[in-house]
Amino acid sequence: MLENPETKYRPFQPIPLQNRQWPARTITKPPIWLSTDLRDGNQALREPMGIDAKLRMFDMLTEIGFKEIEVSFPSASQPDFDFVRRLIEEDRIPDDVTIQVLTQARAPLIRRTMESLRGAKKAIVHVYAATAPKFRDSVLGMSKQDVIDMAVDSVKLIRELAQKQPRTDFALEFSPEVFSQTELTYAQSICGAVMDAWGASPQRKVILNLPATVEASTPNAYADMIECMGRLLDKRDSAIISLHPHNDRGTAVAAAEQGLLAGADRVEGCLFGNGERTGNVDLVTMALNLYTQGISPGLDFSNMDEVIATVEELTKIPVGARHPYAGELVFTAFSGSHQDAIRKNMPGESHAQQHWDVPYLPIDPKDLGRSYEAVIRVNSQSGKAGAAYLLEQSLGGIQTPRGFQIEFSNMVQARAEATGREVTTDDIGQIFRDEYLGHPKDPIAHSRHRFSQNGDDRVQKVGLTLQIGGQEQSVTGEGNGPVDAVVNALSLPIDVRNFEERSMGQGSNAKAIAFVEIGVKDGSKLWGVGIHENTTTASVLAVLGGVNRAARQGKLDIDARFPKLSVEPTSHRPVDVQSGRPERNNIG
């Protein structure tokens, strides 16, 4: 049993911020982005990336659009130092990209760090000092003033060493760790001292990174702290306020978004939220959150699958199937009601829309390089809409009749329940072909036909030749159209309840698909489907398809109509009326 939290854990005490402004604001532009994948994200791996892997990650980050990238902790290891040197010496850093390196506030480590940056065009030196009470008392054993003195001395040393490397444009970043658990007035004091030591001005701004190194509260409390710091700083116009929330409470993205509302300018994090413990801000999620609000994030995730593949390969950490925007299943609907709403609103000729507005899909999957094929997937929880949508996609996007959708979805549902697994698009296509486009137990096959008019434009006459039991049998009939004429020629106890025809494709290669719903004596109804380049032939095949399905199900006695012929399964394929070649009654 869990222990009594009232006695074991101290609740976070929110600051008494009066007249807070951030709740009434909206985000109107993207922040400055900093990727820490190569430093914070890398040190969080079981097996840190080697230099070649880090080079691949760096190249991908620049392609995505990051202009500031924290690349290493150069004083922590020789590989980290060597990686910075390779970036610089091999001229791998684009002119519009600034690399950032991290160091503790210790002179030997600072000197080693500055040495790693020799020859860089632009660089940010990120120095941090522990400022939270528990860290000051138990980790450092230092007073408040001792920590301020340590931070100021470190910044002065960085400034001195920077002046000896005039070819490099240096900037400073300072982090009071852990800001989210540091007294605000003390955080303001140490940040102000650091800014003074650097000589901060509106033209020479200091990046003040205010990390929630451990998420200690709800995002709104973090936003209050950010807004309060903005008010307390003496030289707010000489500072860039940066955010670095971790994800201990699962709210890092929310904390960063509300921190921006509270006046921050910059966000640090990793792709897919990688980082120590529960990770950092998920920059993919946060950037695409902005994108769905009509704000260009300045980061390009239009080839999401390639980004995922690279990150998974280099970090050995999989991206979850339900990860926002990126997961394999986040654009997938198995629920029947969801599928129906999505299907009715997917973009197309009949769904023209000025803005993206599709139920259950906050973003267009195509914007991330995903196709619509995986949006709807079918299992035993799905309804008719899912099976219909997948079938319609395989048929070139045509819309099937509602009654047919119900009948077909029942077949798909039965398959899903029998197998206990997802029914794939290929499965659905196979079910359709087997059931509607020629079954080995079909008693009747089409050989040829000819239509004519019998002196009256309203009357169609048909001569129909069939294969039954391996033998040809010819019948004739007439009616008020091709379908009626074929039904009368067959002279079976059926009637046509519904007939619909669609075009599959455009131009000279387009095919017609016909759907015929027939009724039989027991009151049941079933559908036949025909596909052919010729629209009339497609309707003939659809009627025969319905008759065959009724016979296979024992609802229609073919022997009664053709008593002199044995009714055996036939392997004959339908024959084209014009060419004499076998019919192509199939998909595609």
Side-chain angles (χ1 to χ4, degrees):
M1 240 182 117
L2 290 174
E3 296 185 40
N4 186 349
E6 294 179 1
T7 60
K8 186 162 187 175
Y9 297 98
R10 290 183 299 175
F12 179 84
Q13 298 300 320
I15 61 172
L17 181 63
Q18 302 297 318
N19 193 29
R20 56 179 56 83
Q21 300 298 305
W22 68 262
R25 296 174 183 158
T26 57
I27 299 174
T28 58
K29 63 179 182 179
I32 301 166
W33 302 106
L34 174 85
S35 163
T36 65
D37 289 88
L38 290 169
R39 195 277 301 171
D40 198 9
N42 185 49
Q43 73 185 25
L45 302 178
R46 290 189 180 95
E47 299 177 11
M49 289 179 271
I51 290 178
D52 289 340
K54 291 187 75 171
L55 289 172
R56 282 184 59 196
M57 178 70 81
F58 180 82
D59 289 343
M60 184 183 69
L61 292 171
T62 60
E63 290 170 4
I64 289 172
F66 286 99
K67 304 305 180 186
E68 295 184 1
I69 303 172
E70 191 167 65
V71 294
S72 81
F73 201 142
S75 63
S77 69
Q78 190 64 43
D80 269 16
F81 184 94
D82 292 342
F83 174 61
V84 180
R85 295 311 306 154
R86 280 195 65 176
L87 288 175
I88 296 169
E89 292 170 2
E90 296 178 7
D91 196 24
R92 289 176 171 268
I93 308 168
D95 290 341
D96 61 347
V97 172
T98 302
I99 60 171
Q100 177 172 302
V101 292
L102 181 69
T103 181
Q104 290 175 315
R106 293 170 54 192
L109 304 184
I110 290 171
R111 292 183 185 278
R112 177 73 167 164
T113 300
M114 297 298 288
E115 179 61 28
S116 74
L117 294 170
R118 190 168 297 279
K121 297 175 183 176
K122 296 181 293 183
I124 300 169
V125 181
H126 180 190
V127 62
Y128 69 96
T131 57
K134 180 61 71 173
F135 286 77
R136 293 194 311 260
D137 300 339
S138 301
V139 179
L140 297 180
M142 299 173 70
S143 68
K144 289 182 177 180
Q145 189 58 49
D146 289 338
V147 177
I148 291 176
D149 292 343
M150 178 180 67
V152 168
D153 289 345
S154 298
V155 170
K156 287 180 177 178
L157 178 58
I158 294 170
R159 185 176 182 180
E160 175 188 331
L161 296 173
Q163 290 171 348
K164 296 178 180 179
Q165 295 177 217
R167 292 175 53 193
T168 303
D169 180 10
F170 282 102
L172 177 74
E173 175 170 335
F174 174 72
S175 292
E177 187 197 14
V178 174
F179 169 76
S180 55
Q181 294 172 315
T182 298
E183 309 93 326
L184 277 179
T185 53
Y186 179 60
Q188 181 270 330
S189 296
I190 194 168
C191 287
V194 163
M195 292 176 69
D196 290 341
W198 183 252
S201 69
Q203 293 74 39
R204 184 180 166 83
K205 294 184 178 183
V206 169
I207 301 169
L208 295 178
N209 186 45
L210 306 179
T213 313
V214 177
E215 271 197 311
S217 64
T218 51
N220 62 297
Y222 181 63
D224 280 351
M225 296 182 73
I226 299 302
E227 182 171 332
C228 191
M229 271 295 286
R231 297 181 188 181
L232 290 173
L233 287 174
D234 293 330
K235 298 179 180 178
R236 177 62 182 90
D237 62 350
S238 300
I240 295 171
I241 292 183
S242 187
L243 307 174
H244 189 119
H246 280 244
N247 200 41
D248 302 87
R249 295 170 57 95
T251 57
V253 169
E257 289 177 334
Q258 294 186 19
L260 290 180
L261 294 173
D265 311 292
R266 185 174 183 261
V267 173
E268 302 187 1
C270 293
L271 299 177
F272 308 116
N274 188 24
E276 291 282 14
R277 304 185 317 280
T278 55
N280 295 351
V281 173
D282 181 343
L283 297 184
V284 173
T285 298
M286 187 164 179
L288 293 176
N289 282 353
L290 294 177
Y291 187 74
T292 64
Q293 301 304 303
I295 300 170
S296 178
L299 300 177
D300 183 3
F301 294 109
S302 59
N303 195 348
M304 181 65 78
D305 288 341
E306 183 176 325
V307 174
I308 292 170
T310 301
V311 171
E312 289 185 334
E313 178 186 352
L314 298 181
T315 66
K316 308 297 188 296
I317 297 176
V319 174
R322 300 293 182 187
H323 194 106
Y325 302 110
E328 177 190 359
L329 298 178
V330 295
F331 298 120
T332 300
F334 287 102
S335 162
S337 60
H338 288 209
Q339 292 175 346
D340 185 56
I342 291 171
R343 176 174 170 269
K344 289 175 178 175
N345 289 275
M346 287 298 283
E349 293 182 5
S350 61
H351 298 119
Q353 50 190 328
Q354 182 178 1
H355 300 290
W356 179 258
D357 187 16
V358 176
Y360 303 110
L361 296 179
I363 193 170
D364 186 347
K366 286 191 174 180
D367 287 349
L368 306 182
R370 300 274 176 84
S371 70
Y372 292 146
E373 293 178 3
V375 169
I376 290 178
R377 291 163 66 172
V378 174
N379 61 16
S380 61
Q381 306 301 302
S382 306
K384 67 180 183 300
Y389 177 82
L390 294 180
L391 177 62
E392 289 168 358
Q393 296 309 297
S394 68
L395 293 174
I398 64 106
Q399 188 170 2
T400 57
R402 178 174 173 79
F404 172 84
Q405 293 172 20
I406 296 172
E407 179 184 271
F408 183 69
S409 68
N410 288 336
M411 299 179 200
V412 175
Q413 181 83 2
R415 171 74 68 88
E417 292 175 354
T419 61
R421 63 174 180 84
E422 177 184 354
V423 182
T424 67
T425 303
D426 289 342
D427 293 335
I428 286 173
Q430 192 62 52
I431 294 170
F432 176 75
R433 287 188 292 272
D434 291 346
E435 183 67 25
Y436 294 96
L437 301 185
H439 192 282
K441 293 185 178 180
D442 281 348
I444 299 176
H446 171 267
S447 286
R448 57 189 176 272
H449 67 266
R450 183 173 297 279
F451 282 95
S452 61
Q453 291 179 336
N454 194 18
D456 187 339
D457 291 345
R458 294 172 297 178
V459 177
Q460 290 272 326
K461 184 175 182 179
V462 65
L464 183 62
T465 302
L466 307 171
Q467 286 278 347
I468 303 177
Q471 302 179 49
E472 282 195 347
Q473 172 76 5
S474 296
V475 292
T476 61
E478 60 182 38
N480 58 15
V483 171
D484 191 39
V486 170
V487 169
N488 291 333
L490 292 173
S491 191
L492 291 166
I494 62 173
D495 62 281
V496 174
R497 304 293 180 85
N498 194 1
F499 170 70
E500 298 186 33
E501 196 169 66
R502 309 276 193 272
S503 176
M504 297 172 60
Q506 297 178 343
S508 59
N509 294 323
K511 295 180 181 180
I513 181 169
F515 299 88
V516 172
E517 184 183 34
I518 65 172
V520 293
K521 284 193 304 180
D522 67 358
S524 60
K525 298 176 291 185
L526 42 77
W527 288 81
V529 180
I531 299 177
H532 198 271
E533 290 87 349
N534 182 280
T535 57
T536 303
T537 303
S539 63
V540 173
L541 295 174
V543 173
L544 294 177
V547 167
N548 279 323
R549 291 189 64 236
R552 291 202 312 265
Q553 295 176 26
K555 298 178 179 180
L556 199 60
D557 184 4
I558 302 299
D559 270 328
R561 172 67 176 90
F562 303 103
K564 295 180 181 181
L565 299 176
S566 60
V567 183
E568 300 292 337
T570 177
S571 60
H572 287 79
R573 293 176 59 193
V575 176
D576 185 279
V577 175
Q578 303 298 326
S579 67
R581 293 192 297 271
E583 301 270 12
R584 289 177 290 168
N585 190 10
N586 50 37
I587 301 177

